Amino acid sequence: MPDTINLADDPDLAHLVDLIDMLPDPEVSSFWDAKHQGGSTLRSTVGHRLTLILKGRGQPSDVDYLAVYVLKYLGRGNSYIPEAHLTKHLTAMENLPAAGHAWVEDATRTAWTLVTRYSLPNWRGKHSTPGQAWIEN
């Protein structure tokens, strides 16, 4: 895996950024200044990792964290930004519930793909070969 990750390196990451671009611009405080655990804002949490990636300085861990943040704070069933609030703020969708639902489902699926791609080697632990735990004595 490369040391730095660019949007051109990973089409799923590029798609997640496209989805984030459907949300309000970062200065829209009614959306991005929602506080979450630890007191940080969604703008600072997502923005830090996203900025590094967009400037070509993103590491695999930045992609992983960005994806985890999307799952945790914008994904299906999260307790921070309800789907209705997200729907209300989707750019050019005029509060269309189906668009909000589709955005959440797509972002959740895309973020999960990125998390498993960039985190799975760490989760696997001592089992460097996929499925190794099933064939060990």
Side-chain angles (χ1 to χ4, degrees), residues 7-108:
L7 298 184
D9 296 332
D10 192 322
D12 293 315
L13 176 59
H15 182 64
L16 187 62
V17 171
D18 284 342
L19 290 171
I20 292 170
D21 276 347
M22 293 178 76
L23 299 174
D25 289 338
E27 60 272 355
V28 177
S29 61
S30 60
F31 185 83
W32 290 106
D33 285 350
K35 300 255 190 220
H36 56 78
Q37 101 188 53
S40 297
T41 64
L42 187 59
R43 178 196 337 241
S44 65
T45 304
V46 170
H48 172 69
R49 302 297 177 154
L50 184 58
T51 300
L52 289 171
I53 292 164
L54 293 174
K55 289 184 174 182
R57 296 192 315 258
Q59 304 292 310
S61 61
D62 295 311
V63 176
D64 177 46
Y65 277 106
L66 175 64
V68 167
Y69 295 150
V70 168
L71 285 172
K72 188 171 184 177
Y73 302 117
L74 299 167
R76 184 170 27 138
N78 82 82
S79 60
Y80 297 97
I81 305 286
E83 188 174 305
H85 185 67
L86 194 139
T87 299
K88 177 182 168 189
H89 285 87
L90 275 176
T91 304
M93 289 296 128
E94 300 177 6
N95 205 18
L96 184 65
H101 179 75
W103 191 98
V104 168
E105 292 301 312
D106 194 1
T108 299

